[in-house]
């Protein structure tokens, strides 16, 4: 356990996130030494403690105790029972600069005490390329952008180069998008053949809900009708049908859904229409034909790994050969923009296993490859039943990511989008690679947060991006979420629509 004691409520989330990056297996607990009145409404423990040279007796079991004290225009950071301490001045700084100085000082203390550094430095947010993008939009050169990312966040050379390269490719594609008059659409299908051990998305085994799928589509179509009417005067730039696994729907249900979307919206400005075929055990020729005849431009066939033992461990009810045959079938039917998702850090996977996976993927030659770093969320079975997986190694390193990058380069694919999540294996990232002209528009839009995304379906989250930027170049973002439970979504569909109405009536 690691304990942090603040003498005032400020930057708790940022400190907690940075400590978890360094110590992912440790429980990080936050406390205040100020009065309860000063932290009213904060969702953190509030007790009064005094730091002594010997530490805090109540936290005798803690592996490390930090105390962060605001004293006038300075911030003191100390560790209990150790000589490591630092003091930073915040005279004349704004809130963003104060946060960065605090994180830099804490990072340097931990690096000095542990000898460990992080590939992304102090960056703990999920969208590091947004920073590089802002630098480019402000007219900064590559060198100036590099220096800013190095000095402000201590990011490694490899990650800075990756961020700058991706930001440039994103900008070239986003220059075609009309942010003010456009929007994107997400449609969620919350059903899967089975639930994977690492999954925390809104997803339910199809067998449980098979008799209510049409009821779900009825409710979904009602939400689609509202969206089409509300945004008839806007340009629809991209559509993404995800889940779950959309291809758990029958061919007739898939045809019904896509025809509904095509009949409801004007698609003349739509740059991309993606449907996740996802699980190979959900793919049939009839379903792919239903997608193809409706003009779907982009699909995913996601193996996650080409090691059969790993597929069995994580609950994927398909074989490696199923993946290969599903991909080949899609090619035979004329799909020319196919993505494949892979996950680094899965249980019991070695570097040689990753190399084997990449060799098989290379033979298939997909148009997109997305390399995910395993991020185990609280709702995933890997967490809920962690004792069952405690003896299994889950390793991801820079060597894993470099190996995947090298194979993608051999396939003629370049990195085009990137994001991070909490609890990622090896403190790494997710990177999307694409052939020229095949980059996923929706993926970039959702990462850069420059355009409104209207989301329909159980568990879907709508994001309204206001067109006028803030002084720092970011945009105000408001959200509303649909309930996750399928039965509740069906029963409360009018309420879901009302939530959107309130979000967009301002």
């Amino acid at each position: 356990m690691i304990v942090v004691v603040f003498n005032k409520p400020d930057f708790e989330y940022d400190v907690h996130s940075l400590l978890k990056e360094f110590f992912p297996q440790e429980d990080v607990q936050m406390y205040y030494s100020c009065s309860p009145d000063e932290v009213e409404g904060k969702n953190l423990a509030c007790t009064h403690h005094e730091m002594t040279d010997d530490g805090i007796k109540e936290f005798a079991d803690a592996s490390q105790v930090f105390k962060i004290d605001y004293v006038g225009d300075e911030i003191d950071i100390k560790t209990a029972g150790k000589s490591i301490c630092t003091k930073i001045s915040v005279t004349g700084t704004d809130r963003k600069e104060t946060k960065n100085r605090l994180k830099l000082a804490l990072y340097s203390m931990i690096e000095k005490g542990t000898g460990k550094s992080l590939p992304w430095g102090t960056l703990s947010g999920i969208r590091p390329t947004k920073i590089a993008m802002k630098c480019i939009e402000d007219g900064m050169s590559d060198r100036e952008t590099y220096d800013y990312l190095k000095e402000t966040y201590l990011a490694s050379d490899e990650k800075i180069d990756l961020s700058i390269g991706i930001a440039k490719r994103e900008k070239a594609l986003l220059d075609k998008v009309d942010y003010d008059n456009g929007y994107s659409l997400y449609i969620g299908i919350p059903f899967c053949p089975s639930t994977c051990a690492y999954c925390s998305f809104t997803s339910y085994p199809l067998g449980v809900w098979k008799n209510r799928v049409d009821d779900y589509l009825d409710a979904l179509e009602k939400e689609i009708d509202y969206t089409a009417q509300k945004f008839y005067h806007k340009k629809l730039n991209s559509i993404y049908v995800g889940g779950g696994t959309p291809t758990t729907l029958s061919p007739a249900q898939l045809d019904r859904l896509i025809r509904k979307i095509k009949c409801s919206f004007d698609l003349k400005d739509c740059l991309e229409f993606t449907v996740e075929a996802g699980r190979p055990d959900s793919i049939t020729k009839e379903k792919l034909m239903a997608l193809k005849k409706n003009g779907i431009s982009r699909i995913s066939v996601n193996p996650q790994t080409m090691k059969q033992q790993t597929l069995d461990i994580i609950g994927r009810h398909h074989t490696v050969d199923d993946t290969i045959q599903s991909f080949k079938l899609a090619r035979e039917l004329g799909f020319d923009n196919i993505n494949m998702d892979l996950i680094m850090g899965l249980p019991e996977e070695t570097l040689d296993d990753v190399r084997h996976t990449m060799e098989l993927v290379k033979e298939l030659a997909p148009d997109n490859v997305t390399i995910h770093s395993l991020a185990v969320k609280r709702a995933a079975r890997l967490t809920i039943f962690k004792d069952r997986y405690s003896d299994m190694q889950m390793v991801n390193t820079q060597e894993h990511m470099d190996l995947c990058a090298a194979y993608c380069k051999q396939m003629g694919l370049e990195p085009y989008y990137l994001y991070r999540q909490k609890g990622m294996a090896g403190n790494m990232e997710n990177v999307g690679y694409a052939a020229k002209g095949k980059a996923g528009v929706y993926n970039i839009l959702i990462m850069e947060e420059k355009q409104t995304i209207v989301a329909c379906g159980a568990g879907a989250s709508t994001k309204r991006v206001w067109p006028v930027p803030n002084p720092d170049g970011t945009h105000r973002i408001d959200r509303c979420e649909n309930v996750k439970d399928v039965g509740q979504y069906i029963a409360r569909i009018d309420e879901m629509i009302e939530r959107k109405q309130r979000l967009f009536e301002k």
Side-chain angles (χ1 to χ4, degrees), residues 153-249:
Y153 303 106
L154 303 179
S156 69
D157 291 353
E158 294 82 4
K159 301 309 178 189
I160 293 175
D161 290 342
L162 182 63
S163 296
I164 293 174
I166 288 175
K168 286 181 173 180
R169 295 184 189 102
E170 286 182 338
K171 188 174 186 305
L173 193 149
L174 292 178
D175 283 344
K176 303 175 184 177
V177 176
D178 186 345
Y179 301 131
D180 293 345
N181 298 304
Y183 73 105
S184 288
L185 177 68
Y186 175 84
I187 304 291
I189 305 300
F191 310 113
C192 272
S194 63
T195 302
C196 299
Y198 53 79
C199 184
S200 62
F201 292 120
T202 301
S203 174
Y204 305 94
L206 180 64
V208 177
W209 290 98
K210 191 170 184 178
N211 294 330
R212 297 208 68 190
V213 172
D214 285 317
D215 293 339
Y216 178 79
L217 292 178
D218 289 342
L220 183 60
E221 288 185 356
K222 193 170 184 179
E223 193 173 12
I224 287 172
D225 284 338
Y226 163 78
T227 304
Q229 182 180 9
K230 183 70 177 178
F231 289 86
Y232 76 93
H233 60 297
K234 295 284 189 179
K235 298 176 181 178
L236 180 54
N237 294 138
S238 70
I239 303 170
Y240 194 99
V241 183
T245 305
T247 42
T248 51
L249 300 180

Side-chain angles (χ1 to χ4, degrees), residues 411-469:
M411 290 184 274
L413 311 180
E414 290 186 319
Y416 76 94
Y417 92 110
L418 178 155
Y419 71 100
R420 303 183 69 218
Q421 294 170 272
K422 283 186 176 182
M424 275 189 158
N427 192 242
M428 293 296 165
E429 64 280 329
N430 301 328
V431 183
Y433 297 84
K436 188 174 182 179
K438 300 296 177 68
V441 176
Y442 178 86
N443 290 332
I444 296 174
L445 287 170
I446 199 168
M447 283 303 111
E448 291 305 318
E449 296 186 313
K450 292 177 179 291
Q451 186 186 64
T452 291
I453 294 178
V454 183
C456 302
S461 179
T462 293
K463 183 189 302 181
R464 180 182 184 182
V465 180
W466 292 76
V468 180

Side-chain angles (χ1 to χ4, degrees), residues 1-5 23 26-31 51 54-66 79-82:
M1 177 178 69
I2 294 175
V3 169
V4 186
V5 183
F23 309 106
E26 291 271 13
D27 177 26
V28 179
Q29 297 188 5
M30 320 292 277
Y31 292 85
M51 177 68 80
D54 297 326
I56 299 173
K57 292 181 180 179
E58 292 91 332
F59 300 132
D61 293 335
S63 60
Q64 190 127 292
V65 180
F66 293 91
T79 58
K82 297 182 181 180

